[in-house]
DNA sequence: ATTTTTTCTGCGGGATCCCGCAAGGCCTTG
DNA sequence: CAAGGCCTTGCGGGATCCCGCAGAAAAAAT
């Protein structure tokens, strides 16, 4: 059994290395990669390795890397070890985990023991381990109590990328009016909506831009989510007849 | 001489502690704080301490903390030790450093020796030390070759917060038209402008939203910059006659 | 199968945005 | 002082956005 560590911070990398060796004495090899690209390559070479990785790395972000790793070998077990439990990350991860895959998500702020326990649970016992806090986010986002549906999230991303209503309609196969409906919906859920008569904030805000702002502030969106979305977008644009 | 370390990651904190002790044997006390708030408090208590801190902490971000520390004691020497050289951070820092203050900015990716050297330079030799890469950003942003003027940056922040033209005009004491001029300027610099006849991207983008998107992607803006801006904004809103 | 609920769609209009055009400052340069 | 820049401002108009209204279509519930 081998373990592949993908983490760009050298300190954290060596800490992880140590933790893995301590928690998994039956492990007979620890590989290290300092960014997503290198990680993918190593994962390709060394089939059958388990993976523990950071989200948010400079070269190629963790979610991208995980996606390609899982695409090539869906039964790979991955433990995500991240600083943040931003909704953007949690949603990003749960969006790409293959059916029935074993994975984990623990925060860097967790204790030593917790990390080691997670390592054993996932790699030995085949059991998913998700930190309480992260779990919380998942509930909130999937069960839609105060959370966002897929449709709403999608349109949020679209306006965050700067698309017009028309472009969104085209991309999502909707009428322009439907797009606007979803936007209204989104504005309401984000608490940005201006109830007609209510002149509390006399048109100070551009709803579209404001929605993006609060989404960012609430960490519903973050840089890496935007990067992924931008990549998808330009792929779609390329595929589009040049109008 | 005492040194105050403000850093939320325990690993990095202890690494820093060690580095400080090694680089500054004449130092007779190292304090630690794990977020901005605690850091400010300690700095208040222990006058005359030098500070080395991370930007980007959960509780209260580094720039905020540095600002209040410097406000209370402008001659404090601060070494910023950060993962990123985002323009948003660099600009944020250089915006708050007091006249003639001694400070430094080194990346976490720098070598051991570089860090120790920086510690000695700043705290002993009273000399500013700024990493090459960070320097690069400074040049690019201050000298306006491919960089943004204060006015442009300001308006970028304003639209990122979701303000309308009118609100911006009000806030910055300009006419609406001037605001729009600056916006045009911004769109051009961000490479988002649509040259009239050019129907390459047939109105796919909402310029205002798109500008924010590319600013984020280019790390001209980031979460903490937005947070600061949002705080300023709501302060301003409170101060505003309720129209 | 029928009712209920949700979503999609077109229409219309007011507000906002985007921006060319042109006139008036200020500030530098010759 | 005049000439040329740069920034500001008003005007005007076309494009876009925001959204109430109401009927059609689809999905969910009964």
């Amino acid at each position: 059994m081998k373990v592949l560590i993908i983490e760009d911070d050298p300190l954290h990398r060596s800490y992880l290395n140590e933790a893995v060796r301590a928690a998994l004495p039956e492990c007979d090899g620890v590989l290290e990669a300092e960014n997503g690209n290198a990680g993918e390559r190593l994962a390709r070479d060394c089939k059958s390795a388990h993976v523990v990785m950071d989200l948010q790395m400079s070269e190629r972000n963790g979610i991208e890397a995980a996606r390609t790793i899982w695409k090539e070998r869906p039964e790979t077990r991955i433990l995500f070890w991240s600083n943040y439990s931003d909704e953007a990350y949690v949603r990003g991860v749960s969006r790409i985990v293959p059916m029935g895959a074993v994975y984990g998500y623990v925060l860097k702020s967790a204790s030593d023991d917790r990390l080691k326990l997670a390592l054993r649970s996932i790699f030995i016992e085949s059991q998913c381990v998700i930190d309480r806090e992260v779990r919380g986010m998942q509930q909130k986002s999937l069960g839609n109590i105060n959370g966002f549906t897929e449709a709403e999230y999608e349109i949020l991303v679209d306006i965050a990328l700067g698309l017009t209503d028309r472009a969104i309609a085209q991309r999502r196969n909707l009428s322009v009016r439907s797009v606007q409906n979803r936007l209204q919906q989104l504005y309401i859920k984000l608490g940005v909506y201006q109830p007609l008569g209510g002149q509390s904030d006399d048109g100070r805000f551009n709803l579209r831009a404001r929605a993006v702002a609060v989404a960012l502030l609430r960490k519903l969106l973050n840089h890496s989510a935007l990067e992924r979305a931008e990549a998808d977008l330009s792929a779609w644009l390329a595929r589009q007849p040049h109008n």
Side-chain angles (χ1 to χ4, degrees), chain A residues 63-74:
Chain A
I63 294 183
E64 299 273 4
R67 179 154 59 179
T68 79
I69 289 175
W70 264 331
K71 195 176 309 179
E72 296 174 8
R73 188 158 59 87

Side-chain angles (χ1 to χ4, degrees), chain A residues 121-132:
Chain A
S121 300
I122 297 169
F123 297 153
I124 307 288
E125 325 253 7
S126 304
Q127 199 176 342
C128 291
V129 174
I130 285 106
D131 249 12
R132 307 193 67 71

Side-chain angles (χ1 to χ4, degrees), chain A residues 14 19 27 47 60 75 80 85-86 95 116 141 147 179-180 203 208 214 220 224-225 234:
Chain A
S14 71
C27 157
K47 302 295 225 190
R60 179 174 176 72
E75 70 281 17
F80 298 98
S85 59
D86 294 5
R95 190 194 273 293
K116 288 177 185 161
S141 65
V179 170
Q180 294 174 329
R208 174 175 287 247
V214 325
L220 249 160
S224 84
S234 61

Side-chain angles (χ1 to χ4, degrees), chain A residues 150 178 224 232 236:
Chain A
E150 215 47 37
S178 294
S224 84
D232 290 353
W236 177 80

